[in-house]
Amino acid sequence: MMTVKVGINGYGTIGKRTALAIAKQDDMEIVGVTKRHPSYEARLAIKQKIPLYVAVEEDTGAFEREDLPVSGTLRDLVEKADIIVDCTPGGVGATYKKLYDEVGVKAIYQGGEDHAMAGVSFNSFANYHESWGAMHSRVVSCNTTGLIRTLYPLDRVFGIERVFAALVRRGADPGDRRGALLNAVEPSLKLPTHHGPDVQTIMPWLNIQTMAVKTPTTMMHIHCIVADLKRKGSDVDILSVWDSVPRIKFVSGRHGIKSSAQIMELARDLGRSRGDFMEIIVWEDGVRVEGKTLYYYQAVHQESDVIPEIVDCIRSMMKLEEDAIRSIRKTDRSLGIGK
Ligand code: NAD
């Protein structure tokens, strides 16, 4: 079997999880990750026996002074890899496109970059084939991935006339020092928010509007969604559609899961790596249908829901598996999703 050589630029929240996920695939291998500073995460990479590269050549001395063995610079890594997963902060990935193009390596960007820069955005279910053999693709953000996971199957079965989603966003990731709100709720004043147009990079036909507020929690995003369906379905019909697709998991308030805190506790109880939940979590007793209008809540674990999508995106761009569902099932088996 062909093994694809994957390099990761940016070993932070998404980069670390991507590295771990790729290490579990039999058709890909990690050839290295980059760090800017000789931080604890740089030490973690060495401990995990992942070759470490310096993102900015001038910083090599700082790593040497800390006795951290580096295998070269970002350019060396890019030249070694078949594909780079760019996991640098939003807006930074675009600055590396020139380098990836110069070397002729394929690259996956994250949701913090613009769709136009990559030219194609990715979701495993909705448009796996649009990235087939592509040089560049962008895995959409955690929120957009969450919205598409539940809306795409509904649209296929019932048709969707219109969607409104209110996003209650986590203020920062748990390990983040920046951007965290201590005691405030901050509405996004640019309305409607960018999340709707981002969903439309993958489902351009969908009539969707979004609003968002940032809240003082680090755990998960919660989406409050109202969808007008073209064809009527009961709550049981809706749940059975979601039950038939991977990467959606049900929880129930009746069983004591009333908040994001208990969802994260469940992830830890299930022994999920890092306490992550890569599925989108839907409250089965929070689904209601009135006429053709559907109301539901879902929770998105922002640090991890995009990770299986990144693995599938590599398979599509590297032409490793033509069948989207086969790639999804392979990824999910390897990552323990659905257990
Ligand atoms: P992060 O800050 O946790 O990690 C970014 C990493 O890139 C850090 O290790 C940082 O040192 C490194 N870095 C910074 N500048 C660099 C440079 N010039 N060259 C190379 N490396 C550099 O960020 P993250 O949360 O992992 O986000 C990465 C991307 O993923 C963003 O586009 C973000 O929008 C997207 N994303 C984030 C989340 C989330 O909730 N964390 C979810 C989905 C998508």
Side-chain angles (χ1 to χ4, degrees), residues 98-126:
K98 194 163 164 261
L99 170 66
Y100 304 149
D101 279 342
E102 249 172 53
V103 177
V105 73
K106 297 190 182 217
I108 295 178
Y109 305 91
Q110 307 305 316
E113 307 304 321
D114 289 340
H115 166 78
M117 188 270 292
V120 55
S121 291
F122 182 86
N123 174 269
S124 302
F125 296 96

PDB file of all heavy atoms in Angstrom, residues 98-126:
ATOM      1  N   LYS A  98       2.765  30.444  -1.003  1.00  0.00           N
ATOM      2  CA  LYS A  98       3.801  30.661  -2.023  1.00  0.00           C
ATOM      3  C   LYS A  98       4.894  29.573  -1.911  1.00  0.00           C
ATOM      4  O   LYS A  98       5.314  28.995  -2.909  1.00  0.00           O
ATOM      5  CB  LYS A  98       4.414  32.054  -1.803  1.00  0.00           C
ATOM      6  CG  LYS A  98       5.245  32.553  -2.937  1.00  0.00           C
ATOM      7  CD  LYS A  98       5.450  34.063  -2.819  1.00  0.00           C
ATOM      8  CE  LYS A  98       6.580  34.492  -3.719  1.00  0.00           C
ATOM      9  NZ  LYS A  98       7.837  34.654  -3.036  1.00  0.00           N
ATOM     10  N   LEU A  99       5.312  29.295  -0.662  1.00  0.00           N
ATOM     11  CA  LEU A  99       6.343  28.272  -0.442  1.00  0.00           C
ATOM     12  C   LEU A  99       5.850  26.899  -0.908  1.00  0.00           C
ATOM     13  O   LEU A  99       6.573  26.166  -1.614  1.00  0.00           O
ATOM     14  CB  LEU A  99       6.717  28.219   1.047  1.00  0.00           C
ATOM     15  CG  LEU A  99       7.608  27.053   1.478  1.00  0.00           C
ATOM     16  CD1 LEU A  99       8.999  27.154   0.845  1.00  0.00           C
ATOM     17  CD2 LEU A  99       7.739  26.995   3.007  1.00  0.00           C
ATOM     18  N   TYR A 100       4.608  26.541  -0.538  1.00  0.00           N
ATOM     19  CA  TYR A 100       4.084  25.231  -0.920  1.00  0.00           C
ATOM     20  C   TYR A 100       4.023  25.123  -2.451  1.00  0.00           C
ATOM     21  O   TYR A 100       4.353  24.078  -3.017  1.00  0.00           O
ATOM     22  CB  TYR A 100       2.680  25.000  -0.322  1.00  0.00           C
ATOM     23  CG  TYR A 100       2.604  25.143   1.195  1.00  0.00           C
ATOM     24  CD1 TYR A 100       1.439  25.607   1.820  1.00  0.00           C
ATOM     25  CD2 TYR A 100       3.686  24.815   2.012  1.00  0.00           C
ATOM     26  CE1 TYR A 100       1.363  25.740   3.210  1.00  0.00           C
ATOM     27  CE2 TYR A 100       3.614  24.959   3.392  1.00  0.00           C
ATOM     28  CZ  TYR A 100       2.454  25.425   3.978  1.00  0.00           C
ATOM     29  OH  TYR A 100       2.390  25.561   5.347  1.00  0.00           O
ATOM     30  N   ASP A 101       3.624  26.228  -3.093  1.00  0.00           N
ATOM     31  CA  ASP A 101       3.531  26.226  -4.565  1.00  0.00           C
ATOM     32  C   ASP A 101       4.914  26.109  -5.200  1.00  0.00           C
ATOM     33  O   ASP A 101       5.117  25.368  -6.158  1.00  0.00           O
ATOM     34  CB  ASP A 101       2.850  27.509  -5.053  1.00  0.00           C
ATOM     35  CG  ASP A 101       1.333  27.405  -4.949  1.00  0.00           C
ATOM     36  OD1 ASP A 101       0.822  26.277  -4.832  1.00  0.00           O
ATOM     37  OD2 ASP A 101       0.663  28.459  -4.976  1.00  0.00           O
ATOM     38  N   GLU A 102       5.874  26.859  -4.646  1.00  0.00           N
ATOM     39  CA  GLU A 102       7.254  26.843  -5.172  1.00  0.00           C
ATOM     40  C   GLU A 102       7.815  25.433  -5.177  1.00  0.00           C
ATOM     41  O   GLU A 102       8.415  24.968  -6.150  1.00  0.00           O
ATOM     42  CB  GLU A 102       8.135  27.682  -4.238  1.00  0.00           C
ATOM     43  CG  GLU A 102       8.633  28.986  -4.829  1.00  0.00           C
ATOM     44  CD  GLU A 102       9.314  29.786  -3.721  1.00  0.00           C
ATOM     45  OE1 GLU A 102      10.223  29.258  -3.034  1.00  0.00           O
ATOM     46  OE2 GLU A 102       8.891  30.932  -3.565  1.00  0.00           O
ATOM     47  N   VAL A 103       7.580  24.718  -4.058  1.00  0.00           N
ATOM     48  CA  VAL A 103       8.123  23.360  -3.928  1.00  0.00           C
ATOM     49  C   VAL A 103       7.244  22.356  -4.684  1.00  0.00           C
ATOM     50  O   VAL A 103       7.691  21.270  -5.051  1.00  0.00           O
ATOM     51  CB  VAL A 103       8.257  22.989  -2.424  1.00  0.00           C
ATOM     52  CG1 VAL A 103       8.748  21.564  -2.239  1.00  0.00           C
ATOM     53  CG2 VAL A 103       9.197  23.957  -1.715  1.00  0.00           C
ATOM     54  N   GLY A 104       5.984  22.744  -4.898  1.00  0.00           N
ATOM     55  CA  GLY A 104       5.058  21.853  -5.620  1.00  0.00           C
ATOM     56  C   GLY A 104       4.438  20.804  -4.731  1.00  0.00           C
ATOM     57  O   GLY A 104       4.103  19.706  -5.190  1.00  0.00           O
ATOM     58  N   VAL A 105       4.282  21.142  -3.448  1.00  0.00           N
ATOM     59  CA  VAL A 105       3.673  20.182  -2.513  1.00  0.00           C
ATOM     60  C   VAL A 105       2.195  20.533  -2.334  1.00  0.00           C
ATOM     61  O   VAL A 105       1.809  21.698  -2.425  1.00  0.00           O
ATOM     62  CB  VAL A 105       4.429  20.212  -1.150  1.00  0.00           C
ATOM     63  CG1 VAL A 105       4.115  21.469  -0.351  1.00  0.00           C
ATOM     64  CG2 VAL A 105       4.129  18.976  -0.315  1.00  0.00           C
ATOM     65  N   LYS A 106       1.371  19.508  -2.092  1.00  0.00           N
ATOM     66  CA  LYS A 106      -0.050  19.762  -1.826  1.00  0.00           C
ATOM     67  C   LYS A 106      -0.205  20.320  -0.418  1.00  0.00           C
ATOM     68  O   LYS A 106       0.638  20.045   0.445  1.00  0.00           O
ATOM     69  CB  LYS A 106      -0.846  18.462  -1.961  1.00  0.00           C
ATOM     70  CG  LYS A 106      -0.793  17.905  -3.364  1.00  0.00           C
ATOM     71  CD  LYS A 106      -1.757  16.762  -3.567  1.00  0.00           C
ATOM     72  CE  LYS A 106      -1.601  16.237  -4.991  1.00  0.00           C
ATOM     73  NZ  LYS A 106      -2.831  15.835  -5.619  1.00  0.00           N
ATOM     74  N   ALA A 107      -1.283  21.080  -0.183  1.00  0.00           N
ATOM     75  CA  ALA A 107      -1.468  21.666   1.150  1.00  0.00           C
ATOM     76  C   ALA A 107      -2.938  21.726   1.536  1.00  0.00           C
ATOM     77  O   ALA A 107      -3.792  22.054   0.717  1.00  0.00           O
ATOM     78  CB  ALA A 107      -0.866  23.064   1.210  1.00  0.00           C
ATOM     79  N   ILE A 108      -3.173  21.399   2.814  1.00  0.00           N
ATOM     80  CA  ILE A 108      -4.505  21.547   3.408  1.00  0.00           C
ATOM     81  C   ILE A 108      -4.433  22.705   4.392  1.00  0.00           C
ATOM     82  O   ILE A 108      -3.540  22.748   5.242  1.00  0.00           O
ATOM     83  CB  ILE A 108      -4.917  20.271   4.173  1.00  0.00           C
ATOM     84  CG1 ILE A 108      -5.070  19.102   3.203  1.00  0.00           C
ATOM     85  CG2 ILE A 108      -6.213  20.498   4.959  1.00  0.00           C
ATOM     86  CD1 ILE A 108      -5.430  17.782   3.865  1.00  0.00           C
ATOM     87  N   TYR A 109      -5.369  23.642   4.278  1.00  0.00           N
ATOM     88  CA  TYR A 109      -5.450  24.770   5.208  1.00  0.00           C
ATOM     89  C   TYR A 109      -6.635  24.551   6.137  1.00  0.00           C
ATOM     90  O   TYR A 109      -7.509  23.727   5.875  1.00  0.00           O
ATOM     91  CB  TYR A 109      -5.614  26.084   4.436  1.00  0.00           C
ATOM     92  CG  TYR A 109      -4.525  26.280   3.410  1.00  0.00           C
ATOM     93  CD1 TYR A 109      -4.702  25.831   2.100  1.00  0.00           C
ATOM     94  CD2 TYR A 109      -3.312  26.862   3.749  1.00  0.00           C
ATOM     95  CE1 TYR A 109      -3.695  25.973   1.161  1.00  0.00           C
ATOM     96  CE2 TYR A 109      -2.301  27.011   2.809  1.00  0.00           C
ATOM     97  CZ  TYR A 109      -2.498  26.562   1.513  1.00  0.00           C
ATOM     98  OH  TYR A 109      -1.493  26.696   0.596  1.00  0.00           O
ATOM     99  N   GLN A 110      -6.681  25.378   7.196  1.00  0.00           N
ATOM    100  CA  GLN A 110      -7.769  25.247   8.180  1.00  0.00           C
ATOM    101  C   GLN A 110      -8.793  26.362   7.999  1.00  0.00           C
ATOM    102  O   GLN A 110      -8.598  27.291   7.211  1.00  0.00           O
ATOM    103  CB  GLN A 110      -7.198  25.256   9.604  1.00  0.00           C
ATOM    104  CG  GLN A 110      -6.107  24.237   9.834  1.00  0.00           C
ATOM    105  CD  GLN A 110      -6.532  22.819   9.476  1.00  0.00           C
ATOM    106  OE1 GLN A 110      -7.632  22.385   9.818  1.00  0.00           O
ATOM    107  NE2 GLN A 110      -5.677  22.096   8.771  1.00  0.00           N
ATOM    108  N   GLY A 111      -9.838  26.264   8.830  1.00  0.00           N
ATOM    109  CA  GLY A 111     -10.970  27.182   8.712  1.00  0.00           C
ATOM    110  C   GLY A 111     -10.644  28.647   8.957  1.00  0.00           C
ATOM    111  O   GLY A 111     -11.441  29.511   8.594  1.00  0.00           O
ATOM    112  N   GLY A 112      -9.493  28.934   9.570  1.00  0.00           N
ATOM    113  CA  GLY A 112      -9.102  30.333   9.798  1.00  0.00           C
ATOM    114  C   GLY A 112      -8.645  31.033   8.534  1.00  0.00           C
ATOM    115  O   GLY A 112      -8.427  32.252   8.526  1.00  0.00           O
ATOM    116  N   GLU A 113      -8.475  30.273   7.441  1.00  0.00           N
ATOM    117  CA  GLU A 113      -8.070  30.880   6.152  1.00  0.00           C
ATOM    118  C   GLU A 113      -9.315  31.113   5.303  1.00  0.00           C
ATOM    119  O   GLU A 113     -10.358  30.493   5.514  1.00  0.00           O
ATOM    120  CB  GLU A 113      -7.112  29.933   5.400  1.00  0.00           C
ATOM    121  CG  GLU A 113      -5.918  29.473   6.193  1.00  0.00           C
ATOM    122  CD  GLU A 113      -5.073  30.615   6.734  1.00  0.00           C
ATOM    123  OE1 GLU A 113      -4.891  31.613   6.015  1.00  0.00           O
ATOM    124  OE2 GLU A 113      -4.618  30.510   7.884  1.00  0.00           O
ATOM    125  N   ASP A 114      -9.169  31.989   4.299  1.00  0.00           N
ATOM    126  CA  ASP A 114     -10.298  32.265   3.405  1.00  0.00           C
ATOM    127  C   ASP A 114     -10.490  31.129   2.408  1.00  0.00           C
ATOM    128  O   ASP A 114      -9.513  30.562   1.914  1.00  0.00           O
ATOM    129  CB  ASP A 114     -10.046  33.551   2.596  1.00  0.00           C
ATOM    130  CG  ASP A 114     -10.144  34.770   3.494  1.00  0.00           C
ATOM    131  OD1 ASP A 114     -10.766  34.653   4.572  1.00  0.00           O
ATOM    132  OD2 ASP A 114      -9.574  35.810   3.124  1.00  0.00           O
ATOM    133  N   HIS A 115     -11.741  30.880   2.075  1.00  0.00           N
ATOM    134  CA  HIS A 115     -12.074  29.868   1.063  1.00  0.00           C
ATOM    135  C   HIS A 115     -11.375  30.192  -0.269  1.00  0.00           C
ATOM    136  O   HIS A 115     -10.810  29.298  -0.917  1.00  0.00           O
ATOM    137  CB  HIS A 115     -13.592  29.827   0.878  1.00  0.00           C
ATOM    138  CG  HIS A 115     -14.049  29.090  -0.335  1.00  0.00           C
ATOM    139  ND1 HIS A 115     -14.094  27.712  -0.394  1.00  0.00           N
ATOM    140  CD2 HIS A 115     -14.460  29.542  -1.557  1.00  0.00           C
ATOM    141  CE1 HIS A 115     -14.527  27.343  -1.596  1.00  0.00           C
ATOM    142  NE2 HIS A 115     -14.760  28.426  -2.314  1.00  0.00           N
ATOM    143  N   ALA A 116     -11.396  31.476  -0.641  1.00  0.00           N
ATOM    144  CA  ALA A 116     -10.886  31.873  -1.966  1.00  0.00           C
ATOM    145  C   ALA A 116      -9.406  31.514  -2.117  1.00  0.00           C
ATOM    146  O   ALA A 116      -8.948  31.177  -3.209  1.00  0.00           O
ATOM    147  CB  ALA A 116     -11.094  33.367  -2.178  1.00  0.00           C
ATOM    148  N   MET A 117      -8.671  31.576  -1.014  1.00  0.00           N
ATOM    149  CA  MET A 117      -7.232  31.296  -1.086  1.00  0.00           C
ATOM    150  C   MET A 117      -6.977  29.840  -1.510  1.00  0.00           C
ATOM    151  O   MET A 117      -6.144  29.558  -2.365  1.00  0.00           O
ATOM    152  CB  MET A 117      -6.627  31.573   0.304  1.00  0.00           C
ATOM    153  CG  MET A 117      -5.134  31.523   0.368  1.00  0.00           C
ATOM    154  SD  MET A 117      -4.517  29.907   0.756  1.00  0.00           S
ATOM    155  CE  MET A 117      -5.060  29.708   2.428  1.00  0.00           C
ATOM    156  N   ALA A 118      -7.735  28.920  -0.923  1.00  0.00           N
ATOM    157  CA  ALA A 118      -7.543  27.502  -1.269  1.00  0.00           C
ATOM    158  C   ALA A 118      -8.316  27.139  -2.541  1.00  0.00           C
ATOM    159  O   ALA A 118      -7.931  26.239  -3.281  1.00  0.00           O
ATOM    160  CB  ALA A 118      -7.989  26.619  -0.114  1.00  0.00           C
ATOM    161  N   GLY A 119      -9.430  27.829  -2.774  1.00  0.00           N
ATOM    162  CA  GLY A 119     -10.223  27.563  -3.986  1.00  0.00           C
ATOM    163  C   GLY A 119     -11.265  26.485  -3.789  1.00  0.00           C
ATOM    164  O   GLY A 119     -12.254  26.432  -4.503  1.00  0.00           O
ATOM    165  N   VAL A 120     -11.044  25.614  -2.823  1.00  0.00           N
ATOM    166  CA  VAL A 120     -12.029  24.563  -2.528  1.00  0.00           C
ATOM    167  C   VAL A 120     -12.022  24.312  -1.020  1.00  0.00           C
ATOM    168  O   VAL A 120     -10.979  24.368  -0.378  1.00  0.00           O
ATOM    169  CB  VAL A 120     -11.758  23.270  -3.349  1.00  0.00           C
ATOM    170  CG1 VAL A 120     -10.354  22.760  -3.164  1.00  0.00           C
ATOM    171  CG2 VAL A 120     -12.739  22.160  -2.988  1.00  0.00           C
ATOM    172  N   SER A 121     -13.226  24.123  -0.474  1.00  0.00           N
ATOM    173  CA  SER A 121     -13.344  23.793   0.951  1.00  0.00           C
ATOM    174  C   SER A 121     -13.865  22.373   1.070  1.00  0.00           C
ATOM    175  O   SER A 121     -14.481  21.851   0.145  1.00  0.00           O
ATOM    176  CB  SER A 121     -14.278  24.780   1.657  1.00  0.00           C
ATOM    177  OG  SER A 121     -13.657  26.048   1.718  1.00  0.00           O
ATOM    178  N   PHE A 122     -13.627  21.767   2.254  1.00  0.00           N
ATOM    179  CA  PHE A 122     -13.842  20.318   2.375  1.00  0.00           C
ATOM    180  C   PHE A 122     -14.741  19.947   3.536  1.00  0.00           C
ATOM    181  O   PHE A 122     -14.609  20.463   4.638  1.00  0.00           O
ATOM    182  CB  PHE A 122     -12.492  19.624   2.570  1.00  0.00           C
ATOM    183  CG  PHE A 122     -12.574  18.118   2.659  1.00  0.00           C
ATOM    184  CD1 PHE A 122     -12.566  17.345   1.509  1.00  0.00           C
ATOM    185  CD2 PHE A 122     -12.667  17.486   3.896  1.00  0.00           C
ATOM    186  CE1 PHE A 122     -12.660  15.956   1.586  1.00  0.00           C
ATOM    187  CE2 PHE A 122     -12.750  16.101   3.979  1.00  0.00           C
ATOM    188  CZ  PHE A 122     -12.742  15.333   2.826  1.00  0.00           C
ATOM    189  N   ASN A 123     -15.647  19.010   3.251  1.00  0.00           N
ATOM    190  CA  ASN A 123     -16.363  18.262   4.292  1.00  0.00           C
ATOM    191  C   ASN A 123     -16.483  16.826   3.796  1.00  0.00           C
ATOM    192  O   ASN A 123     -16.832  16.592   2.638  1.00  0.00           O
ATOM    193  CB  ASN A 123     -17.750  18.859   4.548  1.00  0.00           C
ATOM    194  CG  ASN A 123     -18.557  18.000   5.511  1.00  0.00           C
ATOM    195  OD1 ASN A 123     -19.288  17.107   5.097  1.00  0.00           O
ATOM    196  ND2 ASN A 123     -18.418  18.261   6.790  1.00  0.00           N
ATOM    197  N   SER A 124     -16.226  15.866   4.666  1.00  0.00           N
ATOM    198  CA  SER A 124     -16.147  14.466   4.236  1.00  0.00           C
ATOM    199  C   SER A 124     -17.430  13.977   3.575  1.00  0.00           C
ATOM    200  O   SER A 124     -17.398  13.246   2.595  1.00  0.00           O
ATOM    201  CB  SER A 124     -15.835  13.565   5.431  1.00  0.00           C
ATOM    202  OG  SER A 124     -14.636  13.958   6.040  1.00  0.00           O
ATOM    203  N   PHE A 125     -18.596  14.334   4.127  1.00  0.00           N
ATOM    204  CA  PHE A 125     -19.865  13.825   3.599  1.00  0.00           C
ATOM    205  C   PHE A 125     -20.342  14.602   2.396  1.00  0.00           C
ATOM    206  O   PHE A 125     -20.849  14.037   1.439  1.00  0.00           O
ATOM    207  CB  PHE A 125     -20.973  13.931   4.653  1.00  0.00           C
ATOM    208  CG  PHE A 125     -20.710  13.081   5.826  1.00  0.00           C
ATOM    209  CD1 PHE A 125     -20.113  13.621   6.941  1.00  0.00           C
ATOM    210  CD2 PHE A 125     -21.023  11.736   5.807  1.00  0.00           C
ATOM    211  CE1 PHE A 125     -19.833  12.829   8.023  1.00  0.00           C
ATOM    212  CE2 PHE A 125     -20.747  10.944   6.889  1.00  0.00           C
ATOM    213  CZ  PHE A 125     -20.151  11.495   8.004  1.00  0.00           C
ATOM    214  N   ALA A 126     -20.231  15.925   2.508  1.00  0.00           N
ATOM    215  CA  ALA A 126     -20.932  16.778   1.545  1.00  0.00           C
ATOM    216  C   ALA A 126     -20.178  16.938   0.231  1.00  0.00           C
ATOM    217  O   ALA A 126     -20.814  17.075  -0.811  1.00  0.00           O
ATOM    218  CB  ALA A 126     -21.203  18.138   2.171  1.00  0.00           C
TER     219      ALA A 126
END
